[in-house]
């Protein structure tokens, strides 16, 4: 399979042990290898050429994808580099998906299958790839020089990436800014400096982190640069429901916003919190007011302590609910003890032992039934053999 970042035969290892492609041992330094991949689970289902869907998915730099129509009826394979219509020019991209799965992706992304889709010109030739490499080599110098120009003009914006078209006639500048930016003068300077058509495209901080890539606090590649495409809003309430420390340094990702992964397990926590009582005020006991210190959501255990003590007293969610109901009726419960959870745990343990004993007996009975059935089958097989080949009775010895 070809590599969209380097335009050669992928980032695999050659026979001599050297890494081909962008030479980053599979961790592409240009952010193009295996980025935003979609597994084609319909690839083994062959369809007649007349019924094959004529729209394919093509990937460009930093995982950007779009849909194009194969009007020429080219024999395409996933991984081929093709020349496509880029509106006033042409560009080179890699085919990442084709067939019926493309139709599903278009429905998911709400892309209409109409005449607005651009077309594929041809499969990229050697000459096309030479021009493509020339345009890619211009991107880093253009990025550095453009940042200098922005600093000289004192424009409050951050330029994160530059992407040239394969025909060297147009470049897209990706930037992020907090406020509205007037870059009309900047566009004139950039067009005169690099002799190209300029397109300024504003992206969010999360999209910027996805284009640049990186390693998260979990030790894996950023979700936004590998598979995440829909950026949902994240609030500090998600951290509160999961009992996380409201430390902005730990809760923020490389984009400076709250981590998207705070939403991944939120529904599970919300389902578990249904059985956890809301502690809005201290528990009233004979020993004083007991304040909530900690909650284990999945084990459904709550820890309380008194102001005059440093000991934490655990109890189950059901016990805490019972105490709240008693307090609501004006009843003051006895002083909390560390044996409250132990008593409940013993009851659960006894119940578990009974269940384990029942399972053991059921398995033993099952094994005994299997053994009896096996013995009966062996006896039936033995009787049948004797009937087919009856052994002659032993002769009596005569003197």
């Amino acid at each position: 399979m070809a590599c969209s970042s380097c335009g050669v035969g992928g980032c695999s290892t050659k026979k001599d042990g050297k890494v081909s492609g962008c030479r980053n041992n599979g961790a592409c330094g240009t952010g193009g290898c295996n980025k935003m991949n979609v597994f084609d689970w319909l690839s083994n289902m062959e369809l007649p050429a007349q019924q094959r869907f004529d729209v394919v998915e093509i990937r460009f730099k930093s995982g950007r994808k779009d849909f194009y129509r194969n009007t020429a009826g080219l024999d395409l394979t996933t991984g081929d580099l093709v020349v496509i219509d880029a509106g006033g020019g042409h560009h080179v991209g890699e085919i990442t998906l084709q067939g019926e799965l493309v139709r599903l992706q278009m429905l998911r992304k709400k892309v209409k299958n109409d005449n607005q889709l651009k077309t594929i010109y041809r499969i990229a030739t050697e000459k096309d790839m030479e021009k493509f490499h020339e345009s890619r080599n211009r991107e880093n110098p253009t990025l550095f020089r453009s940042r200098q120009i922005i600093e000289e003009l004192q424009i409050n914006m951050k330029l994160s990436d530059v992407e040239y078209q394969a025909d060297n006639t147009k470049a897209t500048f990706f930037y992020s800014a907090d406020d509205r930016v007037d870059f009309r003068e900047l566009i004139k300077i950039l067009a005169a400096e690099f002799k190209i058509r300029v397109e300024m495209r504003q992206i969010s901080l999360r999209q910027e982190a996805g284009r640049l890539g990186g390693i998260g606090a979990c030790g894996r590649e950023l979700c936004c640069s590998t598979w995440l495409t829909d950026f949902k809003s994240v609030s500090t309430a998600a951290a509160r429901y999961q009992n996380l420390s409201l430390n902005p340094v730990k809760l923020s990702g490389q984009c400076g916003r709250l981590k998207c992964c705070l939403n991944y397990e939120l529904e599970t926590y919300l389902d578990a919190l249904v059985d956890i009582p809301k502690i809005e005020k201290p528990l009233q006991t004979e020993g004083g007011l007991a304040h909530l210190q900690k909650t284990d959501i999945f084990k459904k255990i709550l820890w309380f302590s008194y102001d005059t003590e440093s000991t934490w007293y655990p109890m189950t969610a059901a016990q805490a609910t019972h105490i709240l109901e008693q307090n609501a009726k004006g009843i003051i419960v006895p002083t909390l003890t560390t044996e409250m959870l132990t008593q409940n745990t013993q009851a659960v343990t006894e119940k578990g032992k009974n269940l384990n004993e029942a399972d053991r007996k059921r398995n033993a009975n099952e094994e005994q039934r299997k053994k009896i059935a096996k013995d009966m089958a062996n006896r039936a097989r033995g009787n049948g053999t004797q009937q087919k080949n009856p052994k002659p009775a032993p002769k009596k010895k005569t003197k």
Side-chain angles (χ1 to χ4, degrees):
M1 181 180 293
C3 172
S4 63
S5 62
C6 50
V8 294
C11 293
S12 57
T13 305
K14 297 179 181 179
K15 294 182 179 180
D16 56 0
K18 295 182 179 180
V19 179
S20 59
C22 55
R23 304 180 186 278
N24 274 274
N25 296 307
C28 183
T30 55
C33 308
N34 301 321
K35 197 167 188 177
M36 298 292 182
N37 275 355
V38 176
F39 178 70
D40 189 0
W41 48 276
L42 296 175
S43 59
N44 294 329
M45 300 178 63
E46 293 292 337
L47 291 174
Q50 304 89 329
Q51 300 179 9
R52 189 172 299 172
F53 193 46
D54 62 345
V55 179
V56 299
E57 184 187 68
I58 297 180
R59 179 176 58 195
F60 302 97
K61 181 183 177 183
S62 298
R64 182 175 64 86
K65 292 182 179 181
D66 209 343
F67 299 98
Y68 292 84
R69 194 181 300 279
N70 182 15
T71 56
L74 301 173
D75 186 14
L76 302 176
T77 306
T78 302
D80 286 345
L81 294 169
V82 293
V83 179
I84 53 92
D85 178 18
H90 66 270
H91 198 22
V92 173
E94 177 191 359
I95 296 178
T96 55
L97 204 62
Q98 56 181 342
E100 290 301 313
L101 206 58
V102 178
R103 197 193 304 271
L104 299 178
Q105 287 290 89
M106 293 177 69
L107 290 175
R108 188 176 72 87
K109 296 181 180 180
K110 297 180 181 180
V111 178
K112 294 182 179 180
N113 183 15
D114 52 16
N115 296 329
Q116 299 297 325
L117 293 178
K118 296 178 182 178
T119 59
I120 299 176
Y121 288 149
R122 60 184 179 275
I123 297 177
T125 61
E126 260 187 58
K127 190 174 181 180
D128 294 327
M129 295 310 300
E130 288 178 3
K131 294 190 68 176
F132 177 63
H133 286 308
E134 290 177 6
S135 64
R136 293 300 297 271
N137 292 334
R138 294 183 62 186
E139 289 177 354
N140 281 339
T142 302
L143 178 63
F144 299 145
R145 176 56 185 152
S146 301
R147 286 176 177 173
Q148 293 177 355
I149 296 173
I150 292 172
E151 188 176 353
E152 293 171 0
L153 296 176
Q154 296 182 355
I155 301 177
N156 188 19
M157 59 182 290
K158 179 184 177 183
L159 187 65
S160 58
D161 198 10
V162 177
E163 182 178 354
Y164 270 85
Q165 276 188 188
D167 55 3
N168 268 319
T169 61
K170 179 184 175 183
T172 304
F173 294 78
F174 296 90
Y175 73 95
S176 58
D178 296 331
D179 302 318
R180 187 181 179 88
V181 179
D182 183 9
F183 43 71
R184 288 176 292 183
E185 185 65 24
L186 175 63
I187 291 178
K188 294 178 183 179
I189 297 176
L190 293 178
E193 178 87 13
F194 303 111
K195 304 295 187 297
I196 53 172
R197 290 181 292 119
V198 176
E199 178 186 350
M200 304 295 295
R201 185 175 299 179
Q202 186 173 4
I203 58 177
S204 64
L205 293 176
R206 284 191 170 97
Q207 290 173 330
E208 179 185 356
R211 289 186 65 86
L212 299 179
I215 304 297
C218 58
R220 300 174 64 90
E221 289 187 67
L222 298 180
C223 298
C224 54
S225 65
T226 51
W227 63 271
L228 187 63
T229 55
D230 300 326
F231 299 103
K232 298 180 180 179
S233 60
V234 186
S235 63
T236 54
R240 292 194 186 97
Y241 285 129
Q242 300 176 57
N243 280 346
L244 297 176
S245 174
L246 298 181
N247 186 348
V249 177
K250 293 184 178 181
L251 296 180
S252 300
Q254 295 192 10
C255 58
R257 299 290 185 265
L258 291 175
K259 294 179 180 178
C260 297
C261 54
L262 290 176
N263 282 341
Y264 294 170
E265 298 178 351
L266 181 58
E267 293 184 2
T268 305
Y269 276 89
L270 292 177
D271 292 340
L273 283 171
V274 173
D275 300 326
I276 305 295
K278 292 183 179 180
I279 310 297
E280 298 178 351
K281 56 183 179 180
L283 303 182
Q284 298 177 8
T285 67
E286 295 177 357
L289 299 178
H291 299 272
L292 178 65
Q293 298 294 341
K294 180 184 175 182
T295 303
D296 191 324
I297 298 175
F298 295 108
K299 291 184 179 180
K300 295 180 174 54
I301 299 176
L302 294 83
W303 281 266
F304 293 84
S305 69
Y306 294 107
D307 293 334
T308 57
E309 298 180 11
S310 59
T311 305
W312 287 12
Y313 300 96
M315 68 176 68
T316 62
Q319 290 173 330
T321 303
H322 177 69
I323 293 176
L324 289 174
E325 293 174 353
Q326 295 293 321
N327 290 162
K329 297 177 182 178
I331 302 174
I332 298 178
V333 299
T335 304
L336 303 182
T337 62
T338 56
E339 299 177 356
M340 296 180 63
L341 181 64
T342 307
Q343 295 172 358
N344 186 73
T345 305
Q346 289 177 353
V348 174
T349 305
E350 289 297 329
K351 185 177 180 181
K353 287 182 178 179
N354 295 336
L355 292 175
N356 292 335
E357 185 66 20
D359 291 341
R360 190 185 65 79
K361 290 181 179 179
R362 184 172 64 253
N363 294 335
N365 293 336
E366 186 68 24
E367 290 293 334
Q368 188 174 4
R369 282 195 295 270
K370 290 181 179 179
K371 187 176 181 181
I372 293 173
K374 186 176 180 180
D375 291 341
M376 292 178 63
N378 291 336
R379 289 177 184 175
R381 194 180 301 112
N383 292 337
T385 305
Q386 290 179 3
Q387 292 176 3
K388 290 180 182 178
N389 302 314
K391 294 182 179 179
K395 296 180 179 180
K396 294 183 180 180
K397 294 182 179 180
T398 57
K399 294 181 180 180

